[in-house]
Amino acid sequence: MKHERVLSRAFNSLVAVIVASVLSIAIFFVYKTYEKSVETDIFRYSHKLEDSIRRIAAAEYRRYFLLVDFAKTAGTKNSGNSIEKILEEKSTILGKNGEIPNLVSSIGYYDSSSPESALEYDFEYREWSELDNIFNNDEPDRKSDFFYVRSGSAPEKLYLAVDNGSTGRVIFFRVDPQGFLDNYIREVVESSNEEFRVDWLRGSDPESRRILEDYFEYELLQYHFRPMQILLKTGSQNQPLIVEIPIMFDIRRVFDNGSAEQKDVNDLKPGKPMFFDFSYFVRMMHKDGSYYYEIEHDAAVSFFETIIIFITIGILFILLLFQLQRTRLLRSKEKEFVASVTHELRTPLTVIRSAADNLSNGIVNKDKLPVYGGLIIEQSERLGNMIEEILLYSNFENKNSNSGKPVKFDFKEVVSQFKPALDELGNAEGLKLHWDINGLPGKAESFPDVITLTVNNLVSNAVNHAYSVPGGEIRIIIRYLVPGRLSITVEDDGRGIDPRELKHVFEPFYRDYVSRSRQERGSGLGLFIARRKAALCGGKLTVESPYRRIDGSKLSGCRFVLTLPCTEADDSANIKQKTLKEPENGR
């Protein structure tokens, strides 16, 4: 039995380690899978947002086609004075209060053969002025009927130029990025991304430029998924997404290709744009953290749900395994119990049958009839006590037992019912029982049945198992402790209990190695029943082996201590007595 327990524990521990290792590896791979999935989703999401912003800007840039049509019509006039007059008259529809407001802030023209003689009409000052070499001696390569020109003067200016072709005249407009952004882009972007905090940055602003350079120079390291920090909102990154508003964007490429140029989701380093004074950028942050907060949050919740499922399955598997092992050990103990009880029951039944046969056959002398009668009574009581123990155990297992209420009783009467029988049992085995029961109240309120059961059990255990030879002593000490506790101590100086088996003595059907090897009497239920009965009454039964006495000496035997609730009762109270016949059992 002992080796079986050791092997069972070793096997259970090995299986628990294997299951824990498998769970750890599975959780690691699940984590890595989620991390890679979140990383991919984040970059796809960032590209989706970037594409959305560019598409909004591209859609608003359709307004500039009206300027192109207007410039082509106006550019067909032959007279210089006539074109100036036409452009000046038409400028009213392009100003802040015009039909197409906040797109451009000036209009002008020049002949493609002499771009240095360009004239510009400013909408704010309402006057014409000459431009000094608008192309900085480097006229752009015209790939379409309109193109952008960047002025090299400070601050930088952006022009939309339209080449008429047939007359060689170029009509140009000074683009108003701020007006276009405030009146056409900002509201659409913010209303379509209500879950984000949106900030606007301009390349000409020193603080904005510092933020932009830090962002685009930042080499994004490999993403690390931190599900606990994400859910607790501690230590998480507040990573923004910065998207350039394509002021110089070729809108036809967007609509022809369907979307802006896509990046590889594994390209971890954002491309750095050119910073001009007229460049604008939008910085987006989710209201609860990084712009990809919802992706991280949903993934963190899903990750922990998966982990909980994995751990639950692992725990259930381990519990099932332990339960199977426990059931197997319990069956083993039950088999041992059945064998022990069968042996114990066979002995009194054999004695009773033999005595009954002798009596029925008339071979017993009349002077021996009392001996045979006493033998039958003794064995019947022994048999009845074993059956009573089994019934009590069955009640405990079926949870049908209850503690009842404390009753009033006379201490002397209760002690007198078990003391003589136990003294006689000790004398029969050549052992001396020393009783220390002074100072007890005459009347008390407690649980006399538990007292009788436990004392009978502990003393009979000590008599039957503590000593292998006559001459030992068993001490029974009963003390009334103030406030309201009764203490019963049974101690011996015998062989004691192996420390490795000490924690099992209160288990059902358990008997120590010596009792099993010597085939000593007992079912292994007595201590279990006594402890359960004490616990149901609010008491406690404990054991020490070896133990120390008050004088400091260490003895190898056993000391059992029972404590029960007990209060002193009025002498005039109605006394109820409950007694229990002496059980026989083993440790």
Side-chain angles (χ1 to χ4, degrees):
M1 185 70 178
K2 178 180 176 181
H3 296 294
E4 189 176 0
R5 282 178 175 273
V6 173
L7 291 175
S8 176
R9 289 178 181 174
F11 177 75
N12 289 342
S13 300
L14 178 61
V15 172
V17 170
I18 293 175
V19 172
S21 301
V22 172
L23 275 178
S24 300
I25 295 173
I27 290 173
F28 174 77
F29 279 106
V30 169
Y31 170 80
K32 284 298 182 182
T33 300
Y34 270 86
E35 185 177 54
K36 186 62 178 177
S37 175
V38 171
E39 182 182 16
T40 302
D41 289 344
I42 285 174
F43 284 102
R44 286 177 177 170
Y45 186 57
S46 67
H47 298 147
K48 179 180 178 181
L49 286 176
E50 290 175 359
D51 186 65
S52 173
I53 299 299
R54 291 191 178 96
R55 281 180 169 275
I56 289 174
E60 297 300 326
Y61 272 120
R62 291 178 183 272
R63 303 174 188 274
Y64 282 102
F65 283 123
L66 300 175
L67 299 179
V68 175
D69 294 339
F70 171 79
K72 286 183 177 181
T73 301
T76 59
K77 304 298 182 180
N78 294 323
S79 171
N81 293 331
S82 176
I83 188 62
E84 291 176 14
K85 184 176 181 180
I86 292 174
L87 295 180
E88 186 175 343
E89 290 176 352
K90 295 296 184 179
S91 65
T92 56
I93 68 173
L94 304 176
K96 292 184 178 180
N97 299 319
E99 298 175 9
I100 313 177
N102 301 306
L103 290 180
V104 295
S105 58
S106 71
I107 190 171
Y109 75 97
Y110 66 88
D111 289 328
S112 57
S113 60
S114 55
E116 68 278 359
S117 60
L119 295 177
E120 180 182 20
Y121 180 76
D122 189 283
F123 295 162
E124 182 177 358
Y125 298 106
R126 296 185 177 278
E127 60 182 21
W128 288 91
S129 61
E130 292 185 3
L131 290 179
D132 296 333
N133 195 2
I134 186 173
F135 297 117
N136 295 328
N137 298 318
D138 186 17
E139 187 173 358
D141 181 19
R142 303 175 186 180
K143 296 182 179 179
S144 60
D145 52 1
F146 68 92
F147 52 92
Y148 289 101
V149 180
R150 181 167 62 91
S151 170
S153 60
E156 289 182 326
K157 298 177 183 178
L158 181 67
Y159 291 91
L160 172 64
V162 181
D163 190 350
N164 182 265
S166 60
T167 63
R169 184 178 293 129
V170 176
I171 307 297
F172 58 85
F173 306 88
R174 188 199 310 162
V175 176
D176 183 7
Q178 185 67 53
F180 178 70
L181 180 74
D182 291 341
N183 290 274
Y184 298 102
I185 301 295
R186 187 189 300 270
E187 182 179 356
V188 180
V189 171
E190 292 180 355
S191 63
S192 61
N193 298 279
E194 295 181 351
E195 69 274 21
F196 294 100
R197 300 194 305 270
V198 177
D199 299 318
W200 298 90
L201 307 175
R202 184 174 184 178
S204 60
D205 178 61
E207 180 63 21
S208 296
R209 181 167 293 215
R210 184 190 63 80
I211 295 173
L212 292 167
E213 289 178 348
D214 290 344
Y215 176 81
F216 287 105
E217 287 291 344
Y218 173 64
E219 185 173 357
L220 196 61
L221 301 178
Q222 185 175 0
Y223 174 77
H224 294 289
F225 183 48
R226 298 289 184 264
M228 184 61 71
Q229 294 180 358
I230 293 168
L231 294 183
L232 297 179
K233 297 182 180 180
T234 58
S236 59
Q237 298 185 56
N238 291 325
Q239 181 68 21
L241 175 67
I242 297 181
V243 182
E244 182 185 10
I245 301 299
I247 298 298
M248 296 181 65
F249 212 97
D250 186 346
I251 58 175
R252 290 176 300 181
R253 181 171 62 86
V254 174
F255 288 104
D256 291 343
N257 297 340
S259 64
E261 182 180 354
Q262 295 291 320
K263 299 178 183 178
D264 187 351
V265 294
N266 294 318
D267 182 9
L268 303 180
K269 187 174 181 180
K272 182 178 178 180
M274 298 177 64
F275 296 122
F276 303 118
D277 289 342
F278 46 80
S279 297
Y280 282 88
F281 298 82
V282 57
R283 181 173 62 179
M284 306 176 68
M285 291 275 292
H286 195 276
K287 294 178 180 179
D288 294 320
S290 299
Y291 72 92
Y292 46 77
Y293 170 78
E294 290 185 353
I295 294 176
E296 277 191 328
H297 183 271
D298 293 345
V301 172
S302 177
F303 172 76
F304 279 113
E305 288 176 348
T306 304
I307 296 306
I308 290 173
I309 293 174
F310 274 45
I311 293 176
T312 301
I313 293 174
I315 291 175
L316 290 177
F317 180 80
I318 293 175
L319 290 177
L320 177 62
L321 181 65
F322 273 82
Q323 185 61 34
L324 290 174
Q325 291 293 327
R326 185 173 178 274
T327 302
R328 189 174 64 83
L329 289 175
L330 186 60
R331 286 179 179 177
S332 178
K333 288 196 293 185
E334 287 178 347
K335 288 180 181 179
E336 184 179 344
F337 164 72
V338 170
S340 175
V341 168
T342 302
H343 175 74
E344 292 295 320
L345 292 177
R346 185 181 292 115
T347 301
L349 286 174
T350 301
V351 173
I352 293 172
R353 177 177 292 178
S354 177
D357 286 342
N358 291 338
L359 289 173
S360 63
N361 293 329
I363 61 175
V364 178
N365 297 329
K366 291 182 179 181
D367 55 344
K368 292 185 178 181
L369 288 177
V371 176
Y372 273 79
L375 185 62
I376 292 174
I377 293 173
E378 177 188 356
Q379 296 301 320
S380 298
E381 289 179 350
R382 178 181 173 185
L383 188 61
N385 287 334
M386 285 190 289
I387 294 173
E388 186 68 24
E389 284 184 349
I390 296 173
L391 291 176
L392 284 172
Y393 170 74
S394 176
N395 288 335
F396 286 136
E397 289 296 297
N398 295 326
K399 304 185 183 300
N400 293 327
S401 58
N402 55 72
S403 61
K405 295 182 179 180
V407 298
K408 297 175 182 178
F409 65 97
D410 188 311
F411 250 116
K412 290 183 179 180
E413 292 185 7
V414 171
V415 172
S416 65
Q417 291 185 16
F418 57 72
K419 182 176 180 299
L422 293 175
D423 284 334
E424 183 178 349
L425 179 64
N427 292 334
E429 298 293 334
L431 303 175
K432 180 181 179 181
L433 272 62
H434 177 75
W435 297 84
D436 184 356
I437 54 177
N438 298 321
L440 294 177
K443 308 291 192 256
E445 185 173 313
S446 185
F447 301 89
D449 57 338
V450 179
I451 295 172
T452 302
L453 169 70
T454 306
V455 172
N456 274 321
N457 184 275
L458 297 179
V459 175
S460 60
N461 271 348
V463 170
N464 293 326
H465 306 291
Y467 300 97
S468 58
V469 295
E473 182 184 60
I474 299 171
R475 295 174 292 278
I476 303 97
I477 306 165
I478 305 178
R479 290 283 187 269
Y480 177 67
L481 306 177
V482 179
R485 303 293 288 181
L486 180 69
S487 172
I488 301 175
T489 302
V490 178
E491 58 185 27
D492 62 70
D493 306 333
R495 61 179 173 84
I497 303 174
D498 191 313
R500 293 171 294 183
E501 299 190 90
L502 193 62
K503 61 182 178 181
H504 299 295
V505 296
F506 293 110
E507 295 178 0
F509 312 122
Y510 186 81
R511 296 193 302 158
D512 65 5
Y513 176 74
V514 176
S515 297
R516 296 196 304 271
S517 61
R518 294 180 181 178
Q519 296 186 347
E520 294 176 347
R521 293 168 55 180
S523 63
L525 285 174
L527 290 176
F528 167 77
I529 291 172
R531 191 180 209 188
R532 287 293 297 272
K533 292 283 284 186
L536 290 172
C537 299
K540 183 168 62 173
L541 178 60
T542 60
V543 62
E544 295 177 81
S545 181
Y547 65 95
R548 289 188 181 276
R549 302 196 68 180
I550 298 178
D551 58 7
S553 59
K554 187 174 183 180
L555 303 180
S556 61
C558 296
R559 173 192 283 163
F560 287 88
V561 179
L562 170 70
T563 57
L564 285 175
C566 181
T567 56
E568 191 171 357
D570 187 0
D571 288 346
S572 62
N574 181 30
I575 307 301
K576 295 182 180 180
Q577 301 181 32
K578 290 190 176 182
T579 60
L580 189 68
K581 293 181 180 180
E582 174 191 348
E584 296 183 10
N585 63 86
R587 284 178 178 156

